[in-house]
Amino acid sequence: NAGVMQNPRHLVRRRGQEARLRCSPMKGHSHVYWYRQLPEEGLKFMVYLQKENIIDESGMPKERFSAEFPKEGPSILRIQQVVRGDSAAYFCASSPVGLAGGYNNEQFFGPGTRLTVL
Amino acid sequence: GENVEQHPSTLSVQEGDSAVIKCTYSDSASNYFPWYKQELGKRPQLIIDIRSNVGEKKDQRIAVTLNKTAKHFSLHITETQPEDSAVYFCAGFFSGGYNKLIFGAGTRLAVHP
């Protein structure tokens, strides 16, 4: 059973370009979470998605950021018109059920995408 | 609001000593508290977790305690080894209708041989 997959692992963009980050959850997991980690800082929740639904996007900036988790394919975190402050590691995590669903709801993290904005 | 505070931010111990990291949380309805270990440049790895129906959980050299009344939980690592050196994050699940973990700011643990 492969773990959570993220690609690309490293992404370099110039200011104003778009960044697309992909996350494939573990097999059997239908809940996906995106976190951002600035250098030397902790993990900040961005968005929680289930298939075809955004459940909680309270941590996502109102502009330029969007996320989706389509019926088929990976979850995508999209950042439009990137700025230098967007440079960070973006981690995706997945769980088999939501955290409110009782047991067997641990979140497993992918390797992250390190975004550098020049 | 939702908040998890973690202390200390850095911790330096000698190999073989114990290390303790403490976290406090604000949401009294929180019921799930995982701990993650993150080595430099790598993903966070779940090392232990505790749910609100227990006060303590142990896995070999790692233990976590939870005090729901005081709203704090702690990670205890005994007989520390150099490979325990990493950043450790506590987290709390906030129950306000949605499923999300709120992380502490992290503790950088250095174990010196």
Side-chain angles (χ1 to χ4, degrees):
Chain A
N1 188 6
V4 179
M5 309 288 285
Q6 286 187 251
N7 68 82
R9 296 290 306 277
H10 300 274
L11 182 61
V12 179
R13 285 287 179 267
R14 297 190 180 281
R15 282 179 297 169
Q17 291 184 319
E18 178 180 286
R20 279 186 180 237
L21 288 61
R22 295 174 188 78
C23 169
S24 296
M26 288 178 70
K27 187 176 181 181
H29 288 195
S30 58
H31 299 253
V32 166
Y33 314 81
W34 284 92
Y35 296 87
R36 176 164 62 178
Q37 187 175 36
L38 295 170
E40 303 296 319
E41 293 191 11
L43 294 144
K44 301 294 184 187
F45 168 82
M46 297 182 74
V47 61
Y48 160 44
L49 309 105
Q50 295 179 28
K51 285 283 187 183
E52 300 184 280
N53 281 304
I54 297 174
I55 307 301
D56 183 350
E57 56 182 348
S58 59
M60 200 122 85
K62 294 285 186 286
E63 297 177 353
R64 303 188 297 108
F65 285 73
S66 62
E68 62 176 7
F69 189 15
K71 188 176 180 181
E72 301 291 338
S75 175
I76 306 285
L77 179 67
R78 181 182 179 204
I79 312 172
Q80 295 177 291
Q81 300 173 343
V82 296
V83 301
R84 289 213 174 106
D86 296 333
S87 295
Y90 291 83
F91 288 95
C92 162
S94 72
S95 68
V97 297
L99 286 171
Y103 290 81
N104 194 29
N105 54 16
E106 297 90 344
Q107 289 188 16
F108 297 91
F109 281 81
T113 294
R114 278 154 184 83
L115 172 65
T116 301
V117 180
L118 301 177
Chain B
E2 306 153 347
N3 191 40
V4 174
E5 293 194 1
Q6 183 171 348
H7 301 280
S9 57
T10 60
L11 181 58
S12 183
V13 300
Q14 290 296 126
E15 183 177 1
D17 288 350
S18 294
V20 180
I21 303 170
K22 298 181 180 180
C23 289
T24 59
Y25 60 96
S26 58
D27 182 1
S28 57
S30 295
N31 61 9
Y32 174 65
F33 306 92
W35 285 88
Y36 287 84
K37 174 184 179 183
Q38 187 178 31
E39 296 176 0
L40 187 63
K42 296 190 176 179
R43 75 184 77 190
Q45 298 264 21
L46 178 69
I47 56 172
I48 196 168
D49 56 18
I50 192 167
R51 300 176 194 274
S52 58
N53 57 345
V54 298
E56 183 174 0
K57 183 176 177 181
K58 192 172 181 180
D59 182 3
Q60 299 183 340
R61 296 186 296 108
I62 295 173
V64 58
T65 59
L66 171 64
N67 183 327
K68 283 215 72 176
T69 303
K71 292 192 285 185
H72 69 70
F73 56 113
S74 300
L75 178 72
H76 304 252
I77 306 174
T78 58
E79 301 172 27
T80 53
Q81 302 166 2
E83 51 265 39
D84 293 331
S85 297
V87 180
Y88 291 81
F89 293 98
C90 62
F93 160 54
F94 284 79
S95 60
Y98 303 113
N99 299 317
K100 64 184 179 186
L101 287 174
I102 302 298
F103 283 81
T107 296
R108 185 174 299 279
L109 173 65
V111 180
H112 301 285

